[in-house]
Amino acid sequence: MTPLQINEVAPRDGLQIETVFVPTADKIRLIDALSSTGLARIEATSFTSPKAIPQLKDAEDVVRGIQRRETVGITVLVPNLRGCERALSCEVDEINLVMSASESHGLANLRMTPGQSLERFADVLRVTASSSVFVNASLSTAFGCPFEGDVPQARVLELVERLLETGVDGVTLCDTTGMANPAQVGKLCDAVLARWPDTPLTLHFHNTRGMGLANTLAAWQAGITRFDASLGGLGGCPYAPGATGNVCTEDLVHMFEQMGVDTGVDLDALLAVSATLPRLVGHDTPGQIVKAGKADRRYPMPKR
Amino acid sequence: MTPLQINEVAPRDGLQIETVFVPTADKIRLIDALSSTGLARIEATSFTSPKAIPQLKDAEDVVRGIQRRETVGITVLVPNLRGCERALSCEVDEINLVMSASESHGLANLRMTPGQSLERFADVLRVTASSSVFVNASLSTAFGCPFEGDVPQARVLELVERLLETGVDGVTLCDTTGMANPAQVGKLCDAVLARWPDTPLTLHFHNTRGMGLANTLAAWQAGITRFDASLGGLGGCPYAPGATGNVCTEDLVHMFEQMGVDTGVDLDALLAVSATLPRLVGHDTPGQIVKAGKADRRYPMPKR
């Protein structure tokens, strides 16, 4: 059975929507601790404008401050050419470009249509061509858009094709606002894997509607082994107050380990890192294992 | 595709662990509202000793007070012969007997070993033989025990066999403390369905470790169409403070409806009933759809 490759996104996708600014030294400690747990990749920060996302204004300092390990790919979000240049100057292993599959979400979130995003990506790829950096593209709203609703599978396939023509090395299909269901996930993964069996394909789920792990399971059953996940279930969507965020890394690792699937991750070490989050972000996190304990947890018999 | 049959357990499994006593009239209103949503069955209360579970001390009044509908089976938990007689006097459609698959959980929870529970069931079945009541048996800790750990599949199969020999009409396999994983669920469902394809088999999951819907999906993929679920995700396990409880009915219905599986349930009506729970129990509930809205919820584009 192929071991999983988990991309930890809490330092970027999680921290960017927190109201507090997590001090740079704490971010570095968090990423270093995550690096030692066996995760395949860590999305460490975003090279966005500090005005747009002040929570991640210390991107250079974070990437330059963390300990690098052979076994852990450091990836960063890059919104444009300027961000790409900043990322390359920090010698990241991977850059992650983001576009929306739906026009309205692209305009609302990035002020770009999908077509404009693809043009921007081509500019970035001309710059990265002379480097060894891995270029991934995350396709938001691949399972539905909170503004316009259904995003047809044919449209997603067309955009994946255009992304690969543009020259990206890998693609992440994102269920940005937790609209996917397991049947839809299975069908889309089948279709993409059938057409591009050798392209590194990652799935990115949210637990907004409680289906995060069910969708992860459906993707894995279809043959997907690369997943984004967020420590503690940090992250999420500003449109669903009270709802949970990204699929929780330690809950995902726990499920697969219980199923006998190798995740490469030391779950106890990961849980110890997750337990430090409430102090960093100032609130409880939606993760379940950190509260309930692993399934092999034993209790003493109650006294009568 | 076989439509699902959902057994709503919040009025019993949910309310029994709440600290407040929900007034009888409110319980009746809740069950009547649930009855009109298309649910196949409702576990309305428990005919336990009022001293053991004071929250459900009004069992007779609740069952006699609710509106009965042809389409909704009213089931009640029955711990012993006395409870069975009380239940039959109220003309319930079904009684639900409970035993543990593991000895330590049986002793801790029921003060009975599995063998003693089976003897007790035989007494009850002698009384029900002359009635038309459907007798279901719920097997707790069928996927693991919080005190002794693994519960081997062979032991579960042996207990299912003994239950059916004793004369029960249906069996529910319960993941009492949320220890099941989807691989284990698939294997156990396959094994039980292969041996007893015509026995009504229900699965009962908890979301203690975030796998409630993933386990539900795995059971459905194995051919299970009967599920216990609890409105709002009420219920749970006293051993995991802060963790979520039973799998949430409206989240389960939402997942299957999104997948195109007929649940028979009017989800909007169910959500309206779920929204009344915080007032009844005095706290927020773990259900996600009631907070995030259904996947087809649309948002206005943000203004720039």
Side-chain angles (χ1 to χ4, degrees):
Chain A
M1 208 153 27
T2 315
L4 301 190
Q5 285 193 48
I6 297 172
N7 180 32
E8 171 57 55
V9 302
R12 197 280 300 173
D13 209 358
L15 297 189
Q16 76 173 16
I17 68 155
E18 293 295 330
T19 48
V20 298
F21 174 79
V22 174
T24 308
D26 284 342
K27 283 176 181 145
I28 291 171
R29 247 192 307 273
L30 173 66
I31 296 168
D32 285 346
L34 288 167
S35 277
S36 69
T37 64
L39 290 159
R41 292 186 292 160
I42 299 175
E43 191 163 289
T45 187
S46 173
F47 284 92
T48 324
S49 147
K51 272 188 207 148
I53 306 183
Q55 294 91 331
L56 304 181
K57 64 184 176 192
D58 53 3
E60 275 89 350
D61 292 339
V62 168
V63 177
R64 292 206 172 108
I66 58 177
Q67 279 192 306
R68 301 294 286 270
R69 289 172 187 255
E70 280 288 325
T71 51
V72 186
I74 295 298
T75 178
V76 295
L77 192 144
V78 156
N80 51 32
L81 207 51
R82 173 79 192 105
C84 176
E85 284 159 356
R86 290 169 63 200
L88 292 180
S89 79
C90 297
E91 298 185 346
V92 300
D93 302 302
E94 174 174 332
I95 65 171
N96 186 28
L97 306 171
V98 180
M99 65 175 285
S100 290
S102 58
E103 188 149 318
S104 54
H105 187 266
L107 289 170
N109 202 44
L110 308 163
R111 305 191 193 200
M112 278 186 277
T113 63
Q116 289 169 325
S117 286
L118 284 164
E119 286 171 30
R120 189 74 65 99
F121 290 4
D123 296 340
V124 170
L125 282 154
R126 273 188 285 275
V127 170
T128 59
S130 58
S131 80
S132 64
V133 77
F134 184 99
V135 180
N136 189 74
S138 281
L139 192 57
S140 296
T141 64
F143 296 91
C145 169
F147 308 120
E148 61 194 75
D150 288 344
V151 174
Q153 181 172 302
R155 178 183 203 152
V156 177
L157 294 177
E158 190 203 322
L159 288 171
V160 171
E161 182 170 31
R162 293 189 61 188
L163 282 167
L164 294 173
E165 284 170 359
T166 308
V168 305
D169 303 304
V171 173
T172 301
L173 301 176
C174 302
D175 181 28
T176 310
T177 60
M179 292 172 67
N181 70 72
Q184 179 188 18
V185 168
K187 273 181 215 150
L188 182 55
C189 291
D190 284 347
V192 176
L193 289 173
R195 231 169 121 180
W196 299 284
D198 301 321
T199 298
L201 179 66
T202 305
L203 270 286
H204 173 111
F205 292 115
H206 282 231
N207 197 35
T208 321
R209 292 175 173 89
M211 291 182 282
L213 288 184
N215 286 332
T216 303
L217 177 68
W220 178 78
Q221 289 171 335
I224 299 296
T225 54
R226 298 165 61 100
F227 294 100
D228 283 359
S230 179
L231 193 72
L234 287 187
C237 156
Y239 307 116
T244 52
N246 290 58
V247 77
C248 172
T249 312
E250 63 267 28
D251 291 5
L252 182 151
V253 167
H254 176 267
M255 178 176 82
F256 281 115
E257 292 287 334
Q258 287 289 315
M259 292 171 69
V261 178
D262 182 11
T263 65
V265 176
D266 177 342
L267 180 54
D268 290 319
L270 194 67
L271 285 165
V273 187
S274 181
T276 69
L277 286 180
R279 193 188 57 78
L280 288 187
V281 297
H283 59 79
D284 195 15
T285 64
Q288 286 299 306
I289 304 302
V290 85
K291 303 182 189 93
K294 298 185 292 181
D296 61 8
R297 179 169 175 183
R298 296 291 159 267
Y299 293 83
M301 289 275 285
K303 290 198 176 67
R304 290 285 185 185
Chain B
M1 208 153 26
T2 316
L4 300 189
Q5 286 194 46
I6 297 172
N7 180 32
E8 171 57 55
V9 301
R12 195 280 300 173
D13 208 358
L15 296 189
Q16 75 173 16
I17 68 156
E18 294 295 331
T19 47
V20 299
F21 174 79
V22 174
T24 308
D26 284 341
K27 284 176 181 146
I28 290 171
R29 247 192 306 271
L30 173 65
I31 296 168
D32 284 347
L34 288 167
S35 276
S36 69
T37 64
L39 290 158
R41 291 186 293 161
I42 299 175
E43 190 163 289
T45 187
S46 173
F47 283 92
T48 324
S49 145
K51 272 188 208 151
I53 306 182
Q55 294 91 332
L56 304 181
K57 66 184 177 191
D58 53 3
E60 274 89 350
D61 291 340
V62 168
V63 177
R64 292 205 172 110
I66 58 177
Q67 279 193 305
R68 302 294 287 271
R69 289 174 187 253
E70 279 288 325
T71 52
V72 186
I74 295 298
T75 178
V76 295
L77 191 145
V78 156
N80 50 32
L81 207 52
R82 173 80 192 105
C84 175
E85 284 159 356
R86 290 169 62 199
L88 292 180
S89 79
C90 296
E91 297 183 347
V92 299
D93 302 301
E94 173 175 331
I95 65 172
N96 185 29
L97 306 172
V98 180
M99 66 175 284
S100 289
S102 58
E103 189 149 318
S104 54
H105 187 266
L107 290 170
N109 201 43
L110 308 163
R111 305 191 193 198
M112 278 186 276
T113 63
Q116 288 169 326
S117 286
L118 285 164
E119 285 170 30
R120 191 73 66 99
F121 290 4
D123 295 341
V124 170
L125 283 154
R126 271 187 288 275
V127 170
T128 59
S130 57
S131 79
S132 63
V133 77
F134 183 98
V135 180
N136 189 73
S138 281
L139 192 57
S140 297
T141 66
F143 297 91
C145 169
F147 308 120
E148 60 193 78
D150 288 344
V151 174
Q153 182 172 300
R155 180 185 201 148
V156 176
L157 293 177
E158 189 204 321
L159 288 171
V160 172
E161 181 170 32
R162 292 189 60 188
L163 281 167
L164 294 173
E165 283 169 1
T166 308
V168 304
D169 301 306
V171 172
T172 301
L173 300 176
C174 301
D175 181 28
T176 310
T177 61
M179 294 171 66
N181 69 72
Q184 178 189 19
V185 168
K187 273 181 215 150
L188 183 55
C189 291
D190 284 347
V192 175
L193 288 173
R195 231 170 120 180
W196 298 285
D198 300 322
T199 298
L201 180 65
T202 304
L203 270 285
H204 173 111
F205 292 114
H206 282 231
N207 197 35
T208 321
R209 292 176 173 89
M211 292 182 281
L213 288 184
N215 286 332
T216 303
L217 178 67
W220 179 76
Q221 288 172 335
I224 300 295
T225 54
R226 297 165 62 101
F227 293 100
D228 282 0
S230 178
L231 194 72
L234 286 187
C237 155
Y239 308 114
T244 51
N246 290 57
V247 78
C248 171
T249 312
E250 62 268 29
D251 291 4
L252 182 152
V253 167
H254 175 266
M255 178 176 82
F256 281 115
E257 292 286 334
Q258 287 290 313
M259 293 171 67
V261 178
D262 181 12
T263 65
V265 177
D266 177 341
L267 180 54
D268 289 319
L270 194 67
L271 285 165
V273 186
S274 181
T276 70
L277 286 180
R279 193 188 57 78
L280 287 187
V281 297
H283 59 81
D284 196 14
T285 64
Q288 286 300 306
I289 304 301
V290 86
K291 302 181 190 94
K294 298 185 291 181
D296 61 8
R297 179 170 175 182
R298 295 292 158 267
Y299 294 83
M301 289 276 285
K303 289 198 177 67
R304 289 287 183 184

